[in-house]
Amino acid sequence: MPLESQKIVMPSADKRWRMVDNAMRKHGYRPDALIESLHAVQELFGFLDDVSLRFVATALKLPMSKVYGVATFYHFFTLKPKGQHTCVVCMGTACYIKGAQNILDRIEKDHGVKPGETTADNKLSVLTARCIGSCGLAPAVVLDGTMIGKVTPDQMAEKICGCVKQ
Ligand code: FES
């Protein structure tokens, strides 16, 4: 059951969420506190995941695409798991309807990895998100911090191949 603290809803009773909340409060929940807030999560939890990113996005009133973008762009943030390149496929309703599963299937066919996995050569991690706030661009994917909208499995396969070759 989520706990209510002022207007912020904690993801669970884990006391570390309150500490993250304190860090955000110190910055007045300003959107420009994003990097500091993600640092607080990482220090306390060791990595960033969908739950923590969503928590920070809601508290700072930022779109999930922005939060995922920052979390995947800076090398000092660790998404779990972490390959050299990170591909986050949105599996929210809009993206699901527009064929996000086909993108995941294609990635699995090409690279042999399912969501939550990293390739054996550590080149590519694949994650899913529930909604990254860009439903108008469904299906949406964030590849190494760059949001890619209205993408087909073929286009995505090409983009991923381009970046894992580097
Ligand atoms: S459902 Fe994918 S961006 Fe909203």
Side-chain angles (χ1 to χ4, degrees):
M1 187 58 117
L3 300 178
E4 210 55 82
S5 155
Q6 292 164 6
K7 282 181 217 145
I8 305 294
V9 179
M10 305 289 163
S12 74
D14 189 324
K15 289 200 171 48
R16 289 175 293 181
W17 294 118
R18 193 164 299 281
M19 293 163 78
V20 175
D21 185 33
N22 286 342
M24 292 191 290
R25 184 182 306 125
K26 244 185 10 210
H27 292 278
Y29 298 108
R30 287 191 316 273
D32 61 8
L34 175 58
I35 290 185
E36 285 90 332
S37 306
L38 295 179
H39 268 304
V41 173
Q42 180 149 309
E43 270 168 30
L44 291 161
F45 292 89
F47 59 85
L48 307 173
D49 63 3
D50 192 56
V51 171
S52 54
L53 294 177
R54 191 163 298 275
F55 177 57
V56 170
T58 306
L60 303 184
K61 298 189 175 62
L62 284 168
M64 279 300 279
S65 52
K66 166 86 180 162
V67 176
Y68 263 104
V70 168
T72 54
F73 181 78
Y74 292 103
H75 62 90
F76 44 76
F77 289 129
T78 305
L79 284 163
K80 197 186 176 188
K82 178 76 173 163
Q84 209 176 315
H85 301 280
T86 307
C87 180
V88 184
V89 179
C90 180
M91 287 296 277
T93 308
C95 291
Y96 184 81
I97 290 169
K98 296 274 185 163
Q101 184 62 51
N102 298 333
I103 296 173
L104 284 176
D105 291 347
R106 178 62 186 268
I107 295 172
E108 186 178 352
K109 182 170 163 263
D110 289 354
H111 302 277
V113 273
K114 290 185 178 18
E117 293 179 351
T118 298
T119 52
D121 61 4
N122 226 29
K123 283 264 188 188
L124 178 71
S125 286
V126 181
L127 300 164
T128 54
R130 279 175 293 166
C131 173
I132 55 173
S134 303
C135 307
L137 296 176
V141 176
V142 178
L143 180 61
D144 287 342
T146 303
M147 153 76 197
I148 303 161
K150 296 193 176 181
V151 68
T152 66
D154 280 351
Q155 288 165 339
M156 206 56 232
E158 209 174 292
K159 284 183 192 298
I160 292 174
C161 276
C163 85
V164 295
K165 267 190 208 134
Q166 287 166 20

